[in-house]
Coordinates of all heavy atoms in Angstrom, one line a residue:
I1213 N 88.9 116.2 99.6 CA 89.3 117.4 100.4 C 90.2 118.3 99.5 O 91.2 117.9 99.0 CB 90.0 117.0 101.7 CG1 89.1 116.2 102.5 CG2 90.5 118.2 102.4 CD1 89.8 115.6 103.7
P1214 N 89.8 119.6 99.3 CA 90.6 120.5 98.5 C 91.9 120.9 99.1 O 92.1 120.8 100.4 CB 89.7 121.7 98.3 CG 88.8 121.7 99.5 CD 88.6 120.3 99.9
E1215 N 92.9 121.2 98.3 CA 94.2 121.6 98.8 C 94.1 122.9 99.6 O 94.7 123.1 100.6 CB 95.2 121.7 97.6 CG 95.5 120.4 97.0 CD 96.4 119.5 97.8 OE1 97.2 120.0 98.6 OE2 96.1 118.3 97.7
E1216 N 93.4 123.9 99.0 CA 93.2 125.2 99.7 C 91.7 125.4 99.9 O 90.9 125.1 99.1 CB 93.7 126.3 98.8 CG 95.2 126.3 98.6 CD 95.6 127.5 97.7 OE1 94.8 128.4 97.5 OE2 96.7 127.5 97.3
S1217 N 91.4 125.9 101.1 CA 90.0 126.2 101.4 C 89.5 127.4 100.7 O 90.3 128.3 100.3 CB 89.8 126.3 102.9 OG 90.4 127.5 103.4
E1218 N 88.2 127.4 100.5 CA 87.6 128.6 99.8 C 87.8 129.9 100.6 O 88.0 131.0 100.1 CB 86.1 128.3 99.5 CG 85.9 127.2 98.5 CD 86.5 127.6 97.2 OE1 86.4 128.8 96.7 OE2 87.1 126.7 96.5
K1219 N 87.7 129.7 102.0 CA 87.9 130.9 102.8 C 89.3 131.5 102.7 O 89.4 132.7 102.7 CB 87.6 130.5 104.3 CG 87.7 131.6 105.3 CD 87.4 131.1 106.7 CE 87.5 132.3 107.6 NZ 87.3 131.9 109.0
A1220 N 90.3 130.6 102.6 CA 91.7 131.1 102.4 C 91.8 131.8 101.1 O 92.5 132.9 101.0 CB 92.7 130.0 102.6
K1221 N 91.2 131.3 100.1 CA 91.3 131.9 98.8 C 90.6 133.3 98.8 O 91.2 134.3 98.2 CB 90.7 131.1 97.7 CG 91.4 129.8 97.3 CD 90.7 129.0 96.3 CE 91.4 127.7 96.0 NZ 90.7 126.9 95.0
E1222 N 89.5 133.4 99.4 CA 88.7 134.7 99.5 C 89.5 135.7 100.3 O 89.6 136.8 99.9 CB 87.4 134.4 100.1 CG 86.4 133.7 99.2 CD 85.1 133.3 99.9 OE1 84.9 133.7 101.1 OE2 84.3 132.7 99.2
E1223 N 90.1 135.2 101.4 CA 90.9 136.1 102.2 C 92.1 136.7 101.5 O 92.4 137.8 101.6 CB 91.4 135.3 103.5 CG 91.1 136.0 104.8 CD 91.5 135.2 106.0 OE1 92.7 135.2 106.3 OE2 90.6 134.5 106.5
W1224 N 92.8 135.8 100.7 CA 93.9 136.3 99.9 C 93.5 137.3 98.9 O 94.2 138.3 98.7 CB 94.6 135.0 99.3 CG 95.8 135.4 98.5 CD1 97.1 135.6 99.1 CD2 96.0 135.7 97.1 NE1 98.0 135.9 98.1 CE2 97.3 136.0 96.9 CE3 95.1 135.6 96.1 CZ2 97.8 136.3 95.6 CZ3 95.6 135.9 94.8 CH2 96.9 136.2 94.6
E1225 N 92.4 137.0 98.2 CA 91.9 138.0 97.2 C 91.5 139.3 97.8 O 91.8 140.4 97.3 CB 90.7 137.4 96.5 CG 91.1 136.3 95.5 CD 89.8 135.6 94.9 OE1 88.7 136.0 95.2 OE2 90.0 134.6 94.2
V1226 N 90.9 139.3 99.0 CA 90.6 140.6 99.7 C 91.9 141.3 100.1 O 92.0 142.5 99.9 CB 89.8 140.3 101.0 CG1 89.7 141.5 101.9 CG2 88.4 139.8 100.6
Q1227 N 92.9 140.6 100.6 CA 94.2 141.3 100.9 C 94.8 141.9 99.7 O 95.4 143.0 99.7 CB 95.1 140.3 101.6 CG 94.7 139.8 103.0 CD 94.7 141.0 103.9 OE1 95.5 141.9 103.8 NE2 93.8 140.9 104.9
Q1228 N 94.8 141.2 98.5 CA 95.3 141.7 97.3 C 94.6 143.0 96.9 O 95.2 143.9 96.4 CB 95.3 140.6 96.2 CG 96.2 139.5 96.4 CD 97.7 139.9 96.5 OE1 98.1 140.7 95.7 NE2 98.4 139.4 97.5
E1229 N 93.3 143.0 97.0 CA 92.5 144.1 96.6 C 92.8 145.3 97.5 O 92.9 146.5 97.0 CB 91.0 143.8 96.7 CG 90.5 142.9 95.6 CD 89.1 142.5 95.8 OE1 88.4 142.9 96.7 OE2 88.6 141.6 95.0
K1230 N 93.0 145.1 98.8 CA 93.3 146.1 99.8 C 94.7 146.7 99.4 O 95.0 147.9 99.5 CB 93.3 145.6 101.2 CG 91.9 145.4 101.8 CD 92.0 145.0 103.2 CE 90.7 144.7 103.8 NZ 90.8 144.2 105.2
K1231 N 95.6 145.8 99.1 CA 97.0 146.2 98.7 C 97.0 147.1 97.5 O 97.6 148.2 97.5 CB 97.9 145.0 98.5 CG 99.3 145.4 98.2 CD 100.2 144.2 98.0 CE 100.1 143.7 96.6 NZ 101.0 142.7 96.2

Side-chain angles (χ1 to χ4, degrees):
I1213 297 173
E1215 293 290 325
E1216 293 183 12
S1217 69
E1218 292 298 320
K1219 183 178 179 183
K1221 287 180 186 177
E1222 290 173 2
E1223 231 174 83
W1224 185 81
E1225 289 173 1
V1226 167
Q1227 290 297 327
Q1228 291 298 316
E1229 289 173 5
K1230 286 181 181 179
K1231 180 179 87 171

